[in-house]
């Protein structure tokens, strides 16, 4: 499987080895800028959202499970 984080569509797309889209998820929550992904041995998927510092967890079949980390990233100030 190939996992693609699409920052424009704000979704995660999953393709099989033939390049066929087999699944998409992420639209059910307010992803701003999906930027990193991690896969657990049990199939669970973590996605970091760079725009707000949150980390979300889905099951391997794309069912949203939980918000693992809720962070606030303050805007950079210019000096």
């Amino acid at each position: 499987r190939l996992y693609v984080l699409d920052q424009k569509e704000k979704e995660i797309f999953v393709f099989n080895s033939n390049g066929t889209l087999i699944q998409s998820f992420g639209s059910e929550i307010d992803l701003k800028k999906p930027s990193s992904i991690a896969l657990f041995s049990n199939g669970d998927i973590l996605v970091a959202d760079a725009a707000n510092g949150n980390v979300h967890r889905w099951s391997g079949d794309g069912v949203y499970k939980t918000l693992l980390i809720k962070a606030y990233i303050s805007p950079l100030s210019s000096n």
Side-chain angles (χ1 to χ4, degrees):
R1 289 186 175 194
L2 173 66
Y3 294 84
V4 176
L5 303 176
D6 189 324
Q7 292 183 353
K8 181 180 177 190
E9 297 297 325
K10 302 175 183 174
E11 287 189 73
I12 296 91
F13 296 98
V14 185
F15 297 88
N16 67 14
S17 60
N18 296 322
T20 303
L21 177 66
I22 57 174
Q23 183 179 17
S24 67
F25 55 92
S27 62
E28 71 278 13
I29 64 166
D30 189 23
L31 279 176
K32 304 278 188 214
K33 189 176 181 184
S35 59
S36 300
I37 191 166
L39 306 174
F40 284 90
S41 60
N42 70 355
D44 281 3
I45 302 160
L46 293 183
V47 175
D49 190 335
N52 57 24
N54 293 343
V55 177
H56 301 275
R57 187 174 193 160
W58 282 266
S59 66
D61 57 358
V63 175
Y64 187 73
K65 292 177 102 173
T66 190
L67 171 64
L68 282 180
I69 298 171
K70 177 145 180 81
Y72 175 77
I73 299 174
S74 61
L76 295 175
S77 60
S78 59
N79 294 345

